[in-house]
Amino acid sequence: MAPPRGGGSDAAAGEAIAAPVDQQQRPVSSILIIIAMQTEATPLVNKFQLKEDLDSVFPKGAPWVRYYGTYKDLQINLVWPGKDSTLGVDCVGTVSAALVAYAAVQALKPDLIINAGTAGGFKAKGAGVGDVYLISGVAFHDRRIPIPVFDLYGVGSRKPCSTPNVAKDLNLKVGKLSTGDSLDMSPQDEASITANNAVVKDMEGAAVAYVAEMLQVPAIFIKAVTDIVDGDKPTAEEFLQNLAAVTAALDASVTQVIDYINGKCVCEL
Amino acid sequence: MAPPRGGGSDAAAGEAIAAPVDQQQRPVSSILIIIAMQTEATPLVNKFQLKEDLDSVFPKGAPWVRYYGTYKDLQINLVWPGKDSTLGVDCVGTVSAALVAYAAVQALKPDLIINAGTAGGFKAKGAGVGDVYLISGVAFHDRRIPIPVFDLYGVGSRKPCSTPNVAKDLNLKVGKLSTGDSLDMSPQDEASITANNAVVKDMEGAAVAYVAEMLQVPAIFIKAVTDIVDGDKPTAEEFLQNLAAVTAALDASVTQVIDYINGKCVCEL
């Protein structure tokens, strides 16, 4: 069966993920940063001098790790899904990201989620290694359900919290993100990514957006390009080569964004 | 990049999802049934005369629905992920299944999970429409991460709670399940399903198994075949044609299994 084209991501996109009105009109006081890999998390943990929560807010058995601290006027929690208890690798992908996002929001009641991480970029859309994008729309590219309306559910297009001032004042690149559970890209994935009009692809964003919308927490997405998907180098090799260096660029942009948020309401972003 | 073959699912399979020893040695008293679609859930809700929980144990915004009641010596909770609040279709797939499994286990502390539902079957492996399988192993087929060890994490092979007596005494078909977020099957999915040695494919099982293992709740999987993936008919059409009829077979088998469990410890299954 051919992969369905669910009407295009723009047609399917819901409302932007918005906070309740009362939250929008007071300065953000608590930020939840969700990051998939330890290598991506460590520079930010160091930058904001966060401490590890050794008496976990998460249930026994969950490998999820929380770091916390205060930075300027902001309470910052940074969570990553930890290492797989059997295999020892970072718990990447949509299921882990959704679970840790859900559990962290329930435990910590943040005003704002920032999902930060590395991503593959499409040079045909203007992406280069080391570029950092503020994401204007998210969708899935590997949930093909060729039944009317279920097709749109599978694509799961969502808009992040509206942040026109962040993009303009910090001069960040802006583009769409497509999420799937594979590091590589099959022809079916590629067709869906094209339909999603994405400049970057990751393995978590759209799942975090799903949870954020469900629990009504505004969410923004910052993705740094480690590898060029439509380039000549194998994705896995390029990803591993650039991971450490690109996290420095990610670190710098996340810090810029958090400095910008400090003292502002969500509606001022 | 070619899809990786992560060393085969059997090599990657962890230990069976087991309950703590004290739970294994007393009769099961509380069962959590997790079902993805309303059409699949309704016959069991009626069969066990379950009531809907109108004062939800789940957070505001989550569409998840719980039914509960007592059947013989068993407390039964049945949860399904509900309808998408924007699109109105059942919240199928791994992210929703993982979230509702996590939230339900946290809220209800069941002794045993039964993930029941419909699935596509492979006639080359002996499956026919209406067959009901007790699942002997689960894995994902759409999480390709071609980096050593991450590849095994992506495949995510797990063994359900060991139930040799259920299979023998109830004369159920036994086989492996492969899970992915698409109703259709790409060539890459097909290669992974073959590597997973699966007789049936669904959209939730391996995600439920992941959560069950994390939270140390024994889980069993019962899947009824609605459509033949390697047959002549389009999957979506065959699935929709057979969904109602096959849920009757699923209903009968789940009832048989629950009757069998009543009064027994997990270690007697």
Side-chain angles (χ1 to χ4, degrees):
Chain A
M1 178 173 293
R5 296 276 25 94
S9 60
D10 287 322
E15 295 298 303
I17 300 166
V21 172
D22 62 327
Q23 270 179 40
Q24 289 182 36
Q25 292 175 345
R26 60 175 172 73
V28 171
S29 70
S30 167
I31 292 179
L32 172 63
I33 305 173
I34 299 174
I35 291 194
M37 299 185 76
Q38 188 169 29
T39 306
E40 298 163 339
T42 301
L44 288 169
V45 168
N46 295 335
K47 169 79 195 181
F48 296 120
Q49 299 185 298
L50 306 180
K51 286 184 191 157
E52 186 171 347
D53 174 18
L54 297 174
D55 182 22
S56 178
V57 296
F58 302 128
K60 183 169 169 285
W64 312 329
V65 181
R66 178 175 81 104
Y67 298 92
Y68 65 99
T70 303
Y71 176 75
K72 299 188 173 174
D73 303 326
L74 298 165
Q75 287 219 313
I76 296 187
N77 284 284
L78 184 154
V79 297
W80 69 288
K83 301 276 188 188
D84 185 86
S85 61
T86 306
L87 298 168
V89 295
D90 300 88
C91 296
V92 297
T94 61
V95 164
S96 282
L99 287 169
V100 78
Y102 175 84
V105 169
Q106 289 299 103
L108 305 167
K109 307 288 179 198
D111 295 329
L112 180 70
I113 291 171
I114 298 176
N115 175 221
T118 55
F122 292 86
K123 70 177 181 189
K125 290 276 186 181
V129 169
D131 283 350
V132 182
Y133 281 87
L134 185 65
I135 300 302
S136 56
V138 302
F140 293 94
H141 58 251
D142 61 353
R143 312 197 320 173
R144 303 176 309 275
I145 314 174
I147 297 175
V149 192
F150 276 102
D151 53 1
L152 301 180
Y153 168 83
V155 174
S157 289
R158 289 184 165 77
K159 285 189 176 158
C161 171
S162 178
T163 54
N165 298 324
V166 177
K168 191 179 63 186
D169 293 350
L170 300 182
N171 199 26
L172 290 172
K173 282 189 149 189
V174 174
K176 291 193 174 180
L177 169 68
S178 193
T179 297
D181 276 307
S182 295
L183 185 66
D184 69 7
M185 184 174 73
S186 71
Q188 287 75 15
D189 292 346
E190 186 173 11
S192 299
I193 289 168
T194 301
N196 290 341
N197 195 23
V199 64
V200 282
K201 77 182 265 285
D202 80 344
M203 297 171 69
E204 292 85 17
V208 172
Y210 179 75
V211 172
E213 182 178 277
M214 177 192 291
L215 299 177
Q216 291 191 280
V217 184
I220 66 179
F221 300 81
I222 302 171
K223 299 285 164 174
V225 176
T226 44
D227 55 275
I228 297 301
V229 184
D230 53 348
D232 301 330
K233 296 184 186 164
T235 289
E237 192 181 306
E238 199 178 14
F239 168 76
L240 291 173
Q241 268 174 5
N242 295 327
L243 181 58
V246 171
T247 54
L250 179 67
D251 171 24
S253 292
V254 171
T255 305
Q256 258 194 315
V257 169
I258 287 179
D259 282 334
Y260 187 87
I261 291 169
N262 185 60
K264 293 193 183 67
C265 310
V266 167
C267 61
E268 293 174 290
L269 304 179
Chain B
M1 175 173 293
R5 296 276 26 95
S9 60
D10 287 323
E15 295 297 303
I17 301 165
V21 172
D22 62 327
Q23 270 179 38
Q24 288 181 34
Q25 293 173 346
R26 59 175 172 74
V28 171
S29 70
S30 167
I31 292 178
L32 171 63
I33 305 173
I34 299 173
I35 292 193
M37 299 184 75
Q38 188 170 29
T39 307
E40 298 163 340
T42 302
L44 288 169
V45 168
N46 294 337
K47 168 81 194 181
F48 295 121
Q49 299 184 298
L50 305 180
K51 287 183 192 159
E52 186 171 349
D53 174 18
L54 297 174
D55 183 22
S56 178
V57 296
F58 301 128
K60 184 170 167 287
W64 311 328
V65 181
R66 178 176 80 104
Y67 298 91
Y68 66 99
T70 303
Y71 175 76
K72 298 188 174 174
D73 303 327
L74 297 165
Q75 287 218 313
I76 296 186
N77 284 284
L78 184 153
V79 296
W80 70 287
K83 301 277 187 186
D84 184 86
S85 61
T86 305
L87 297 168
V89 294
D90 301 88
C91 296
V92 297
T94 61
V95 165
S96 281
L99 287 169
V100 78
Y102 175 83
V105 168
Q106 289 298 103
L108 306 167
K109 308 288 180 198
D111 296 329
L112 181 70
I113 291 169
I114 298 176
N115 175 220
T118 56
F122 292 86
K123 69 177 181 190
K125 290 277 187 179
V129 168
D131 283 351
V132 182
Y133 281 87
L134 185 66
I135 300 302
S136 56
V138 302
F140 293 94
H141 58 251
D142 61 353
R143 311 198 322 173
R144 304 175 308 274
I145 314 175
I147 297 174
V149 193
F150 276 103
D151 53 1
L152 301 180
Y153 168 83
V155 174
S157 288
R158 289 183 167 77
K159 286 189 175 160
C161 170
S162 178
T163 53
N165 298 324
V166 176
K168 192 180 62 185
D169 293 350
L170 300 182
N171 199 27
L172 292 172
K173 282 189 148 189
V174 174
K176 291 192 174 180
L177 169 68
S178 192
T179 296
D181 276 308
S182 295
L183 185 66
D184 68 7
M185 184 174 72
S186 71
Q188 286 76 14
D189 292 346
E190 185 173 10
S192 298
I193 290 168
T194 301
N196 290 341
N197 196 22
V199 64
V200 282
K201 78 182 264 286
D202 80 345
M203 298 172 68
E204 292 85 17
V208 172
Y210 179 74
V211 172
E213 182 179 276
M214 177 193 290
L215 299 176
Q216 291 191 280
V217 183
I220 64 179
F221 300 81
I222 303 170
K223 299 284 165 174
V225 176
T226 44
D227 55 276
I228 296 303
V229 185
D230 53 347
D232 301 329
K233 297 185 185 165
T235 289
E237 191 181 308
E238 199 177 14
F239 169 76
L240 291 173
Q241 269 175 3
N242 294 327
L243 181 58
V246 170
T247 55
L250 178 67
D251 170 24
S253 292
V254 171
T255 305
Q256 258 194 313
V257 169
I258 287 179
D259 282 335
Y260 187 87
I261 291 169
N262 186 60
K264 292 193 182 67
C265 310
V266 167
C267 62
E268 294 175 289
L269 304 179

